[in-house]
Amino acid sequence: MDDQLRRRIDEWIARSGLNSYGDPPGTMYTGSTPLFDERTGVLKDRYLYILEQHPELKEDGSRKR
């Protein structure tokens, strides 16, 4: 993932009024973050998590939710 895609994701989040994970404000997560898999103990990259939830951002970062 390049810096341009990361910037597009960050801009999309800001424009859409979402939290830093690309979810609606106030979303609650087990363990306080959606990035930590309690079963495996693995911490996922924030941008990869967002792209898994919003694959359309790979093609066009300007789309709104």
Side-chain angles (χ1 to χ4, degrees):
M1 176 178 320
D2 62 20
D3 289 339
Q4 182 180 15
L5 180 55
R6 286 185 179 99
R7 276 193 303 275
R8 283 188 3 216
I9 291 170
D10 290 336
E11 290 168 359
W12 172 78
I13 286 172
R15 248 191 346 267
S16 301
L18 302 172
N19 69 17
S20 61
Y21 305 112
D23 297 319
T27 300
M28 302 295 284
Y29 305 102
T30 302
S32 75
T33 177
L35 304 180
F36 183 70
D37 185 337
E38 293 181 359
R39 294 172 293 134
T40 64
V42 174
L43 187 64
K44 185 178 293 189
D45 178 80
R46 181 175 74 94
Y47 293 101
L48 292 178
Y49 169 81
I50 293 167
L51 288 174
E52 287 174 358
Q53 305 303 310
H54 305 280
E56 70 277 8
L57 294 173
K58 291 178 189 173
E59 316 312 320
D60 180 0
S62 65
R63 288 185 185 171
K64 291 185 181 180
R65 193 167 196 229

